[in-house]
Amino acid sequence: MEYTSYMYSHPPVGNCTIKGMVYKVTETDYGYKLYVKDGFFDHKRVVVTCDVRYTPGTEIEIEGEYRPFEKVRNPGEFDSEKFYYSQKIYLSVKADNIKIISRDKHPIYSMTDTISEKLRSTYNEMLDSKYAAVYEAMILGKKDDLDVKVSDLFSAAGIGHILAISGLHISLIGMGLYKIIRRTGAGFVLSMLISGSFIILYGIMTGNGVSTVRALIMFIIAVYANVAGKTYDMMSAASLAAIISLVDAPYLIYNCGFMLSYLAGCGIAYVYDGIRKIIKTDNKILNSFVVSLCIQITTLPVILYFYFQMPILSVFLNIIVIPLMTVVMISGIAGVVVGCFLVPVGEFIAAPGVMLLKLFEMLCQLTTDVSWNIVTPGRPGAVSIVVYYALLILIVHGVRNY
């Protein structure tokens, strides 16, 4: 691409001609955003605003005006520059003219987009538009149609994480497929290759978000450990996933989603693993509470740094939500697959998931209506964050060796 020399600088606004492949498309109030890169494993990317949707996998030539992303001017303001840099996107282009060079440059992208659009239309046939949009966000990674009120409500209540592709999705789909293939009599290696390939395609279809990539790498490591007869260590897998992600996109270190995704994993694999050695119980409710609390403790400084506040009742709300998410996911996935062929049957299968989403919505409303639920201590300083995590590590290390 012609903007290569400007990747880490801020060129003046000007005209440009860029050739690349569309790998992702999102719809906005003003048209479409095309995410364009040079090749399959390219680091040179731009985001293009235009009026026409182009299918992922299409190679295009864009003529238009380019500009760098704006820097943050006020404390707490959304940092669009670092956000896009973390996705390896370094310029924004407003297209004046777009010419199609090849409609099927990379068939994988066009195939996954076709599947995604089919599933998306099926959700809209089966369900009310509000809950269809929630499932599109949860299962397909498409947030274009998501009701802002629902998104804000879930985030304010502390369960906004359920709207992102996460380890739960990869575990349910990937491990479920792996076990099914194994039960047919297929060998370990063949089962790993088929389920691993499927999950990689799922990642491409859903946009390969931060938490998706983490979960995908950790899934491949877990399956490989099973095939090789080794013990799977969650902390080691998460560390390797973080290293791979940061080598590929160094600016991820500034990405809030990246931090929260890995810290939540550390909360389970390190903090909870240490705490459960002194809280020995088979009570599932108590264990769910401890897991939720450990995640909250581990992610607290980052939440405060980016959002300045925290919902106290989210710990208790997640005790209800997280276990029930398995039912929501299975219901939504099975429903849309069957719905592609028999819409009424798919609607029936998806009904339990929709009922639970309505329950989540009601519980979120109840907790956000509590006046003392939201605590706003403000943004912590760097020294406070370092001291907090140092003390947390010392305490957990002491408990683990108790």
Side-chain angles (χ1 to χ4, degrees), residues 41-86:
F41 297 105
D42 184 51
H43 284 238
K44 308 167 188 175
R45 302 179 178 184
V46 296
V47 58
V48 180
T49 55
C50 64
D51 300 324
V52 181
R53 187 184 193 277
Y54 292 84
T55 304
T58 304
E59 187 178 20
I60 58 177
E61 184 177 88
I62 308 117
E63 293 179 356
E65 183 183 73
Y66 67 82
R67 62 178 66 240
F69 299 104
E70 291 187 4
K71 288 181 173 292
V72 171
R73 297 180 181 179
N74 301 303
E77 183 183 357
F78 175 68
D79 194 336
S80 60
E81 182 184 59
K82 286 180 180 176
F83 172 75
Y84 280 108
Y85 278 17
S86 71

Side-chain angles (χ1 to χ4, degrees), residues 103-170:
R103 292 188 179 275
D104 207 13
K105 178 72 173 177
H106 286 293
I108 289 176
Y109 283 97
S110 55
M111 178 190 71
T112 53
D113 180 66
T114 300
I115 295 170
S116 178
E117 288 302 308
K118 172 61 178 174
L119 296 176
R120 196 174 189 175
S121 65
T122 302
Y123 273 127
N124 281 288
E125 284 184 67
M126 295 192 310
L127 310 175
D128 175 78
S129 60
K130 181 166 76 170
Y131 299 106
V134 172
Y135 264 125
E136 287 170 23
M138 286 170 45
I139 309 295
L140 305 177
K142 306 283 188 183
K143 297 186 179 181
D144 307 346
D145 300 327
L146 187 60
D147 189 332
V148 176
K149 291 181 180 179
V150 173
S151 178
D152 289 347
L153 179 63
F154 280 19
S155 296
I159 65 166
H161 57 85
I162 72 172
L163 298 174
I165 308 294
S166 67
L168 176 61
H169 301 65
I170 304 299

